[in-house]
Amino acid sequence: MAAGRARTVLLTGSNRGIGLELVKQLLGAPRPPAWIFATCRDPEGPRAQELRDLASKHPNVVLVKLDVANPSAITDAAKIVEGKLNGMGLNLLINNAGIYTPAASLETVDAEEMIRTYKTNAVGPMLMAQAFLPLLKKAARESTEKGLSCSKAAIINISTIMGSIEKTSESFCKPVISYRCSKAALNMLTKCQALTYGEAGILCVALHPGWVKTDMGSQEADLTVDTSVRGLLSVLPILSEKHSGTLLNWEGKAIPW
Ligand code: NDP
């Protein structure tokens, strides 16, 4: 079941929160991936201690330095991963890294904050998919599976219901303009990726993890990170071509754009 039995997985922002829990639960699966490329901005720093501890116990975890807001860091990471894969493809790319500025209302938000958030939450996932596309295509080509799936080749963009235009009024008590706009852009990116990369056999889906108790979600949130990630990982194996280009929540329920 783990990640639809993807053999090779890469995640961004895997040193804390949802990203770190994804790494832990992938490792705890009955058949863990052969390689988990756990990327983060500062693998040597204090905020990656838990991830380093995991990597020291699990030889299938490879730590890779990657700041998704830095285009050259993305291409450098793709070269490292390609070398490590040694001819294998990449089955699953999870664009998880994200930033959130709670105080960004229409009164306070400025150009700098909009661009900073957009770079991480929307441009980063776009550049990640471009850089890792040859490895995803390779995995798709070499798979004997029919249709689209996470075990073949997939891009999962961790988005949010806050990026849904239709659902905005339900949560607008928190305007978070830069976050909402960047995640609406990520949703559009997901649809465009699905329409473009589907032909190459790559599934593209946006997932909302729920409101989760992490540094971003705060301790007031509804879900523990364990519950959210268990949900996300049980959704991955059910994804197929009919889901590509959609936004689903951690229980697999569709969210309108
Ligand atoms: P956290 O704030 O707990 O963790 C964010 C992660 O993203 C950290 O690992 C952080 O690394 C990383 N990150 C931030 N900027 C960059 C960057 N430029 N390059 C690489 N990594 C970066 O957030 P969550 O775990 O809660 O969120 C994960 C994803 O889930 C996000 O995309 C978020 O939008 C989404 N989400 C979360 C919800 C929630 O309630 N928690 C609700 C809906 C969606 P570092 O330690 O270096 O800062």
Side-chain angles (χ1 to χ4, degrees), residues 13 15-16 18 41 47 67-68 96 159 179 183 210 212 214:
N15 58 310
R16 59 189 171 98
I18 292 168
R41 285 197 274 207
R47 290 224 280 214
D67 177 344
V68 301
N96 162 74
S159 186
Y179 185 68
K183 292 287 190 174
V212 191
T214 61

Side-chain angles (χ1 to χ4, degrees), residues 12-20 39-42 47-48 66-70 95-100 119-121 157-162 179 183 186 207-218 221-223 225 228 232:
T12 61
S14 55
N15 58 310
R16 59 189 171 98
I18 292 168
L20 178 64
T39 78
C40 64
R41 285 197 274 207
D42 185 12
R47 290 224 280 214
L66 204 173
D67 177 344
V68 301
N70 178 349
N95 283 312
N96 162 74
I99 53 171
Y100 173 88
K119 261 189 177 172
T120 299
N121 293 0
N157 293 322
I158 302 296
S159 186
T160 167
I161 198 167
M162 285 190 156
Y179 185 68
K183 292 287 190 174
L186 178 64
L207 290 182
H208 165 56
W211 185 22
V212 191
K213 295 184 202 293
T214 61
D215 293 341
M216 184 185 290
S218 85
D222 295 330
L223 301 175
V225 71
S228 166
L232 293 171

Side-chain angles (χ1 to χ4, degrees), residues 103-171:
S105 68
L106 275 179
E107 288 73 35
T108 59
V109 73
D110 59 15
E112 203 181 317
E113 162 60 20
M114 285 299 282
I115 290 165
R116 185 181 77 91
T117 307
Y118 198 80
K119 261 189 177 172
T120 299
N121 293 0
V123 180
M126 182 195 75
L127 296 177
M128 285 295 295
Q130 287 175 338
F132 287 91
L133 189 61
L135 291 171
L136 288 161
K137 281 185 172 172
K138 192 174 182 51
R141 267 197 316 273
E142 287 172 5
S143 168
T144 52
E145 277 185 52
K146 298 246 178 294
L148 304 183
S149 71
C150 287
S151 50
K152 184 174 178 177
I155 299 168
I156 299 296
N157 293 322
I158 302 296
S159 186
T160 167
I161 198 167
M162 285 190 156
S164 161
I165 293 170
E166 197 172 319
K167 291 279 182 186
T168 304
S169 50
E170 292 175 19
S171 61

